[in-house]
Amino acid sequence: MKSQLAELLAQAVAVLKTQAVIPADLEPRIQLENTRDKAHGDLASNLAMMLAKPAGKKPRDLAELIVQAIPENNLVTKVEIAGPGFINFFLSSASTTSIVQNVLAQAEKYGHNESGEGRKVQVEFVSANPTGPLHIGHGRGAAVGDSICRLLAATGWDVTREFYYNDAGQQINNLALSVQARAKGLTPEDPSWPDDGYRGDYIIELAESFMKGETVSAADQEFTGTGNADDLDAIRKFAVAYLRHEQDLDLKAFDVNFDVYFLESSLYKDGKVEEAVQTLIENGYTYEDGGALWLRTTDFGDDKDRVMRKTDGGYTYFVPDVAYHLNKWQRGFVNVINEQGADHHSTITRVRAGLQALNKGIPEGWPSYVLHQMVTVMRGGEEVKISKRAGSYLTLRDLIDEVGCDATRFFLAARKADSQLTFDIDLARSQSADNPVYYIQYAHARVCSIFRKLKSENLSWDKEQAQASLSKLELESEKEIMVKIGRFPEVVNLAASNHEPHVIANYLRDLAGDFHAWYNNEKTLVEDTELRNARLALAEAVRIVINNGLDLLGVSAPAEM
RNA sequence: GCGCCCGUAGCUCAAUUGGAUAGAGCAUCGGCCUUCUAAGCCGAGGGUUGCAGGUUCAAUCCCUGCCGGGUGCGCCA
């Protein structure tokens, strides 16, 4: 719709160029925007205001000339010049009803497109350390990351979802030591409790399971507890497998799946870390100082150089990260999006610097990142402090159990990632009816209910019949809904290209509102067959859009509530 | 001190990448169930978009400087 109208405007510009009203060498960008106020029509262009200066005319006068130069068409019924020089277009009935036809024809594909052209994109998200259950921050990453994947897939990308396990660092030692301490009956209050030990209760369960000789299996590994509290290596392996298994369950409960689980330890095992370090040394970006090996990250915009290899011979955390991202690049992922918590944002400069220093032709600014800000959890009007080490814990699974998967996902994805989010458990739990996700799902269920009613009254409806009757949709409220669902593909594109799932949530809230209002004011199952068929078509179109939109958020669209 | 994010109604958040009179929900107040699901609808009140400048036809959005909140700044990960 928009592109067709833009084409008409382009033609008008061409005409005015031949009349020398507009300088011939000017190539204006035709902008059409959706109006906020329906008094301004359905679509508006600022063309006249942008061209006023080069044309040497007043915006409104120029707008007049542009309008006169627009070719005959059946898209719009009225064109108005308003305000400082806006050109407002009022869509014709033929235009709006064609939207409904389009939605019904494309059904679950409506809103999708092929602009990604099947190109590969990798999205890395969650990537929690296997040192504890997933908490609400991981939940935000999971909800946002998974939704970005769904958006990219819907716009024609070949998406790979990847989870990176930091299973090789110092934190794993701390984990093993903590489990060992519990296995030996120590508590965090004990003087010999490990310095950076994990204090959560789940460590107790883990230790018990190990001592009992239970077998745990995660995606690609399995390990049986030996029951020997002195065997730290066995404890380490068991603990990692155990917690990965727990995280698998968390993700399953959240309906988030990954294509690839990448182990940091494999980078060491395969010599990839060493390889990357050698390359950096050969490329001359390193130096020794104080017994450590440094990377000259300041050559790439960092504010100070960074240690790569400590005096104890171990690598700092970002070195395997560089090796890991080189691996992504070598797997052919020209497009990589990393979704992670904003508290780790300082790694971005380092990883990118390391990749540049490798001289492998990796573009500056690769990979791209989506950072989500912190989630504050409120309960009983007070902030719930979450700390693995302190032991106070609210897991993602607790939350899903309390609030439900749909509401949790919606809530965590419905806000812009780069602003902090407050998750009020009491609100989400005790007043679940007030949760916005139900409002949208309810609209979907209501449409389904209408069709059930139709059936129970032995009436029927089909797409073909409806096509001929759409001109019966004459109400202003109906036109508004048609225009709104006509914008859905554009909203999907915007959300996908900006990696902003929350845009979908806002759109759905808005559409559901229009639908509920219409539903309350106008009866769908009326005597007049043509009008009934037309309204059923509109209701079905709304249902399709809500279904498709909720799917992009990973939220279900129930037929009954 | 330096980097990044944020600051919009009492609260939680939007605002179609610079558009026209800044919008929703919750909360408050008043109406609507004999009618396709009241998890709904209709109406009312609620704002100097943190402050001060700048850029232009037009600024919540871009630039500069302040103020406030968050987060990061280790040979931790």
Side-chain angles (χ1 to χ4, degrees), chain A residues 109-372:
Chain A
K109 287 286 173 206
Y110 180 69
H112 293 209
N113 66 64
E114 295 301 323
S115 60
E117 298 171 325
R119 281 171 290 171
K120 287 172 68 173
V121 59
Q122 187 215 51
V123 183
E124 182 204 326
F125 59 113
V126 185
S127 292
N129 291 345
T131 53
L134 300 182
H135 56 65
I136 192 165
H138 298 126
R140 189 174 194 184
V144 172
D146 186 55
S147 185
I148 288 172
C149 290
R150 288 165 185 262
L151 284 163
L152 290 170
T155 49
W157 290 83
D158 177 12
V159 183
T160 299
R161 294 155 202 243
E162 191 149 322
F163 189 124
Y164 179 63
Y165 273 106
N166 285 101
D167 62 341
Q170 181 59 32
Q171 80 282 4
I172 298 296
N173 276 329
N174 291 339
L175 172 70
L177 288 170
S178 309
V179 175
Q180 185 176 48
R182 285 290 190 185
K184 292 184 170 181
L186 298 181
T187 64
E189 289 69 38
D190 237 292
S192 53
W193 182 260
D195 282 345
D196 291 315
Y198 296 96
R199 295 157 172 257
D201 289 344
Y202 64 94
I203 297 291
I204 302 174
E205 293 163 29
L206 215 173
E208 281 171 2
S209 179
F210 175 81
M211 294 306 283
K212 275 190 260 175
E214 291 177 356
T215 298
V216 288
S217 57
D220 56 2
Q221 55 183 262
E222 188 173 276
F223 204 81
T224 302
T226 64
N228 178 1
D230 289 321
D231 189 347
L232 192 60
D233 194 51
I235 291 176
R236 181 187 359 256
K237 285 174 180 156
F238 182 83
V240 169
Y242 181 97
L243 289 172
R244 284 193 55 193
H245 175 69
E246 288 297 310
Q247 291 185 354
D248 287 348
L249 294 178
D250 295 341
L251 292 168
K252 196 175 173 191
F254 212 37
D255 193 23
V256 172
N257 300 294
F258 290 88
D259 303 303
V260 177
Y261 290 90
F262 197 100
L263 303 186
E264 181 191 8
S265 56
S266 75
L267 291 166
Y268 285 98
K269 206 168 62 191
D270 300 341
K272 296 297 180 191
V273 177
E274 200 58 44
E275 226 172 85
V277 171
Q278 281 311 315
T279 307
L280 292 172
I281 292 172
E282 283 159 22
N283 290 351
Y285 288 110
T286 63
Y287 60 92
E288 301 247 6
D289 186 38
L293 183 68
W294 295 70
L295 180 66
R296 216 184 303 277
T297 53
T298 47
D299 285 5
F300 305 96
D302 205 352
D303 55 353
K304 51 183 154 184
D305 293 339
R306 305 290 168 177
V307 169
M308 290 173 61
R309 191 170 57 218
K310 299 178 277 182
T311 47
D312 70 4
Y315 292 114
T316 53
Y317 71 94
F318 85 94
V319 177
D321 248 19
V322 171
Y324 174 44
H325 281 87
L326 173 61
N327 172 278
K328 288 185 182 183
W329 177 258
Q330 287 170 338
R331 275 187 277 159
F333 290 113
V334 175
N335 294 286
V336 168
I337 299 163
N338 291 334
E339 205 288 352
Q340 55 184 237
D343 53 340
H344 289 99
H345 87 272
S346 63
T347 69
I348 296 174
T349 313
R350 271 168 246 185
V351 168
R352 283 180 176 162
L355 291 168
Q356 289 305 300
L358 286 169
N359 266 332
K360 300 278 188 186
I362 295 173
E364 246 176 276
W366 184 94
S368 55
Y369 285 83
V370 172
L371 303 178
H372 64 259

Side-chain angles (χ1 to χ4, degrees), chain A residues 42 63 95 120 184 254 348 411 507 512 545:
Chain A
D42 301 303
S95 296
K120 287 172 68 173
K184 292 184 170 181
F254 212 37
I348 296 174
F411 215 83
Y507 169 84
V545 173

Side-chain angles (χ1 to χ4, degrees), chain A residues 421-433:
Chain A
L421 184 155
T422 304
F423 199 111
D424 188 331
I425 292 184
D426 299 314
L427 185 76
R429 181 170 60 173
S430 67
Q431 304 184 325
S432 62

